[in-house]
Amino acid sequence: MEWFKDHAWETWTALAILLALAELLSLDLVLLMLAVGAGVGVLTALIGLPVAAQILAAVGAATAMLLFVRPGIVKRLHSGPELRLGHDALVGRQGVVVSEVSADAGQIKIGGELWTARPYDETVTIHEGARVDVFQIKGATAYVHPVPAIESDND
């Protein structure tokens, strides 16, 4: 125990490195959280706290990491990307008006495909060649809104 008191920060550092390396084999994030606890042990040893305080700080930090940090990280790592297929994949994309879009209907081109379209706001008429955002798809009809044009002042 006397040796540990004299070489506390080196021992904590070695333990942190060993746990981090072992994490590379397990990939479960438990050993990484324990390595963070050992890192806290290094810090407490460097500021000269007694061995009991170092152990308590390391155990407390490792426990906090396991309870509060690890679950969120694991959840993010295990959830895949949100896949949007079919009509849902078109919502949020932009298209070009092929024939005037009004409350009666019109046509737009989205990603090389022609779609029947109506304005999302029924009072709006969107002219041919305008860029539109797809807000919603109902059946085979895209509900769109014109993309605002940026106008510049040439003085």
Side-chain angles (χ1 to χ4, degrees):
M1 193 66 159
E2 191 63 36
W3 183 89
F4 183 75
K5 286 181 184 178
D6 294 338
H7 302 284
W9 76 268
E10 295 99 332
T11 306
W12 284 114
T13 303
L15 181 61
I17 291 170
L18 287 173
L19 287 168
L21 289 174
E23 176 61 39
L24 293 175
L25 300 174
S26 75
L27 297 176
D28 197 32
L29 298 178
V30 172
L31 297 176
L32 184 62
M33 301 301 134
L34 297 178
V36 171
V40 170
V42 170
L43 295 176
T44 57
L46 286 173
I47 60 174
L49 292 178
V51 174
Q54 295 172 27
I55 292 171
L56 286 175
V59 168
T63 303
M65 294 292 286
L66 285 168
L67 293 176
F68 301 115
V69 176
R70 184 180 176 274
I73 294 173
V74 168
K75 184 178 179 183
R76 282 196 181 162
L77 289 175
H78 288 213
S79 66
E82 181 182 322
L83 297 177
R84 296 183 341 176
L85 303 171
H87 298 109
D88 291 337
L90 297 176
V91 174
R93 293 189 56 191
Q94 287 192 353
V96 177
V97 176
V98 175
S99 66
E100 185 174 270
V101 176
S102 65
D104 296 329
Q107 280 192 325
I108 63 169
K109 192 175 225 176
I110 310 169
E113 296 179 345
L114 285 177
W115 280 79
T116 301
R118 288 198 164 92
Y120 194 75
D121 178 0
E122 294 177 1
T123 63
V124 173
T125 299
I126 308 168
H127 301 287
E128 189 175 325
R131 295 198 60 75
V132 292
D133 284 322
V134 178
F135 279 10
Q136 186 178 24
I137 302 283
K138 284 186 184 175
T141 304
Y143 287 84
V144 298
H145 190 73
V147 175
I150 299 175
E151 297 180 22
S152 62
D153 292 333
N154 294 332
D155 293 335

